């Protein structure tokens, strides 16, 4: 349940109880129509200075590149006042000149805001602007614990400089006594799986609040099947190292997908196709130029519901295309969705009392 580990559900509920309860209700019903989303991933940029091996931006995308303009963001935000806003995307958010203004605006209206960065642009000036814009969470992506492994995966970045930038970010946050939470995120793959326990130690040494990670998945034109083709001997060794380390660490670690892969490496993606997904009921993605897609896995606009900037978000969110997509997802994951590793069984578990209640269970479209 890492989605909810990454934010304070209690804080969100106290600020926006009706929205949270509403999303729980719509998730339970899982019908063609749903309410205003609890969480939105709003793409802040598709411009990046790196060519990461597992990224679809490196493999090439067919849609236009650009950055989210404040006026466009404000138009959609004012319509839905989303409680939890994730300002990420395929690019680096700090290339967006409006990013600090966007964060401040959302925070001033009570939203929790998460920003993902590769840390290459964290100059002294940008660190100060970022911390004082007051996001709830800053997540820094580092996919290697040595200069060789990191620079081989995140092509174009300099390991020593990124670690220095990261340290300066934590130091400044602590100096000004900001409440911003700082996370470390890594994408585990064939080239760095042997460093898994070192990732956790690195996060602890940097003074992060939470360590998150996921397996490399195939999305867009980025086919990461080879990155997941790892020998069982290596997997078994890493799993044992991880089990030993997790007993000793005090830092919060959210790597459920990785742990599942280490236990079931050969059939993980096949099993995930049978797992429930609630994203299209509460967690859409909006591209920098306004296109509403089911989630960020549809990174090249493989499935588009409509444009929130020109049509209005809620009109798009429940139009015919969106309703048909939800109906089909209840039957089977197909296309882009078949490559996804999202498992929201924990939501299904929380809703079990409703499904077992006579009469009420007939309201749900899930079987």
């Amino acid at each position: 349940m890492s989605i909810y580990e990454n934010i304070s559900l209690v804080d969100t509920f106290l600020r926006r109880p009706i929205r949270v309860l509403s999303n729980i209700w719509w998730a339970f019903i899982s019908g063609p129509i749903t309410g205003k989303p609890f969480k939105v991933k709003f793409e802040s940029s598709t411009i990046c200075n790196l060519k990461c091996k597992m990224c679809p931006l490196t493999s090439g995308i067919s849609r236009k590149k650009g950055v989210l303009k404040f006026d466009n963001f404000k138009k959609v935000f004012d319509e839905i006042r989303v409680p939890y806003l994730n300002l990420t995307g395929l690019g680096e958010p700090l290339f967006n000149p409006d990013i600090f203004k966007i964060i401040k605006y959302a925070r001033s209206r009570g939203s929790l805001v998460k920003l993902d960065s590769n840390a290459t642009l964290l100059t002294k000036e940008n660190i100060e602007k970022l911390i004082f814009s007051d996001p709830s969470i800053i997540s820094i992506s580092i996919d290697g614990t040595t200069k060789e492994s990191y620079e081989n995966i995140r092509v174009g970045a300099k390991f020593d400089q990124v670690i220095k930038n990261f340290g300066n970010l934590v130091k400044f946050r602590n100096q000004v006594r900001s409440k911003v939470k700082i996370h470390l995120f890594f994408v585990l793959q064939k080239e760095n799986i042997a460093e898994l326990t070192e990732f956790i130690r690195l996060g602890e040494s940097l003074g992060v609040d939470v360590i998150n990670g996921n397996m490399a998945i195939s999305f867009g034109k980025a086919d990461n099947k080879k990155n997941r083709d790892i020998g069982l001997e290596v997997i078994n060794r890493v799993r044992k190292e991880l089990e030993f380390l997790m007993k000793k660490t005090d830092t919060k670690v959210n790597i459920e997908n990785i742990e599942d892969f280490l236990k079931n490496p050969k059939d993980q993606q096949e099993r995930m196709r049978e797992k429930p997904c609630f994203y299209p009921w509460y967690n859409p993605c909006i591209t920098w130029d306004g296109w509403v897609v089911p989630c960020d896995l549809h990174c090249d606009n493989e499935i588009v519901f409509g444009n929130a900037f020109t049509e209005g978000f809620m009109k798009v969110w429940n139009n015919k295309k969106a309703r048909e997509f939800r109906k089909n997802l209840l039957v089977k994951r197909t296309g882009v969705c078949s490559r996804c590793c999202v498992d929201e069984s924990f939501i299904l578990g929380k809703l079990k009392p409703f499904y077992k209640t006579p009469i009420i269970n007939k309201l749900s479209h899930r079987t």
Side-chain angles (χ1 to χ4, degrees):
M1 55 184 292
S2 58
I3 286 175
Y4 296 110
E5 289 287 350
N6 285 344
I7 62 174
S8 173
L9 188 56
V10 174
D11 282 351
T12 308
F13 183 81
L14 291 176
R15 296 178 188 183
R16 310 286 288 282
I18 296 177
R19 178 70 68 86
V20 174
L21 291 173
S22 171
N23 270 226
I24 293 172
W25 174 250
W26 290 113
F28 163 70
I29 293 178
S30 292
I33 295 176
T34 188
K36 290 182 179 180
F38 164 77
K39 175 184 177 184
V40 168
K41 182 169 282 191
F42 219 136
E43 185 177 64
S44 55
S45 171
T46 50
I47 298 173
C48 193
N49 54 342
L50 304 185
K51 291 187 177 297
C52 303
K53 287 189 173 181
M54 63 288 180
C55 180
L57 199 61
T58 301
S59 302
I61 59 173
S62 57
R63 62 188 177 96
K64 294 179 180 179
K65 295 181 181 180
V67 298
L68 175 64
K69 301 297 184 182
F70 175 77
D71 289 344
N72 286 330
F73 164 77
K74 182 178 181 297
K75 184 188 302 182
V76 175
F77 183 88
D78 287 348
E79 180 186 357
I80 58 177
R81 291 289 295 273
V82 62
Y84 177 40
L85 178 67
N86 190 343
L87 291 170
T88 188
L90 295 182
E92 167 55 43
L94 295 182
F95 274 112
N96 186 335
D98 288 343
I99 193 65
F100 307 117
K101 188 177 180 180
I102 289 171
I103 296 171
K104 286 180 180 178
Y105 187 81
R107 290 291 287 143
S108 69
R109 281 148 182 80
S111 293
L112 295 171
V113 178
K114 177 174 178 281
L115 182 88
D116 296 76
S117 173
N118 61 31
T120 59
L121 302 182
L122 285 179
T123 60
K124 181 177 182 295
E125 180 183 5
N126 278 340
I127 287 174
E128 292 181 3
K129 286 181 178 180
L130 185 55
I131 292 296
F132 289 135
S133 66
D134 193 35
S136 310
I137 300 167
I138 300 171
S139 178
I140 303 297
S141 299
I142 298 181
D143 299 316
T145 60
T146 66
K147 177 180 175 64
E148 181 181 7
S149 63
Y150 172 82
E151 293 181 6
N152 187 49
I153 293 173
R154 289 193 164 257
V155 179
K158 300 298 181 183
F159 180 73
D160 293 339
Q161 186 62 54
V162 165
I163 295 299
K164 181 180 178 181
N165 293 350
F166 202 145
N168 290 339
L169 175 68
V170 175
K171 182 179 179 181
F172 185 77
R173 187 274 307 264
N174 295 342
Q175 282 180 345
V176 298
R177 298 183 179 181
S178 167
K179 294 182 179 180
V180 175
K181 299 296 183 183
I182 298 177
H183 292 194
L184 171 66
F185 184 84
F186 57 92
V187 178
L188 207 69
Q189 49 202 285
K190 190 172 185 176
E191 294 185 49
N192 64 12
I193 189 170
E195 301 176 14
L196 177 55
T197 54
E198 289 305 313
F199 277 119
I200 297 173
R201 292 191 179 96
L202 176 63
E204 291 176 319
S205 69
L206 290 170
V208 303
D209 300 294
V210 181
I211 299 169
N212 303 303
N214 206 345
M215 291 301 302
I217 61 173
S218 299
F219 61 117
K221 293 182 176 65
D223 187 352
N224 286 308
K225 290 180 181 179
K226 291 183 179 179
N227 284 330
R228 297 169 63 92
D229 186 16
I230 305 167
L232 288 177
E233 182 179 345
V234 174
I235 289 173
N236 291 332
R237 184 181 75 247
V238 171
R239 186 180 69 249
K240 291 177 182 178
E241 293 174 352
L242 179 64
E243 290 172 352
F244 178 76
L245 180 62
M246 291 292 277
K247 296 176 182 178
K248 300 168 58 178
T249 184
D250 294 324
T251 305
K252 185 179 290 186
V253 181
N254 296 321
I255 54 172
E256 294 93 337
N257 181 263
I258 290 174
E259 291 173 312
D260 180 83
F261 175 83
L262 294 176
K263 294 175 183 177
N264 309 280
K266 296 303 180 183
D267 66 342
Q268 186 188 54
Q269 284 192 308
E270 286 73 14
R271 286 186 299 103
M272 289 303 169
R273 291 173 189 168
E274 306 301 320
K275 300 296 184 180
C277 174
F278 290 86
Y279 273 25
W281 283 268
Y282 79 98
N283 184 19
C285 177
I286 307 174
T287 65
W288 69 270
D289 48 354
W291 297 107
V292 179
V293 298
C295 72
D296 60 339
L297 200 70
H298 297 78
C299 64
D300 206 10
N301 287 3
E302 290 89 348
I303 293 179
V304 173
F305 297 155
N307 194 287
F309 296 163
T310 59
E311 303 173 61
F313 176 83
M314 287 306 296
K315 183 177 180 181
V316 169
W317 186 224
N318 280 315
N319 66 15
K320 183 178 180 180
K321 287 184 179 179
R323 296 196 305 269
E324 287 299 318
F325 181 86
R326 294 187 188 105
K327 287 180 183 179
N328 293 334
L329 186 61
L330 287 177
V331 178
K332 186 179 181 181
R333 292 192 191 190
T334 60
V336 174
C337 295
S338 66
R339 295 178 284 172
C340 180
C341 288
V342 166
D343 175 9
E344 296 196 298
S345 297
F346 70 94
I347 294 181
L348 205 59
K350 295 290 185 181
L351 295 174
K352 272 186 177 179
F354 296 101
Y355 292 119
K356 291 181 178 180
T357 305
I359 300 177
I360 293 180
N361 62 8
K362 297 184 183 299
L363 297 174
S364 178
H365 289 250
R366 290 185 184 263
T367 56

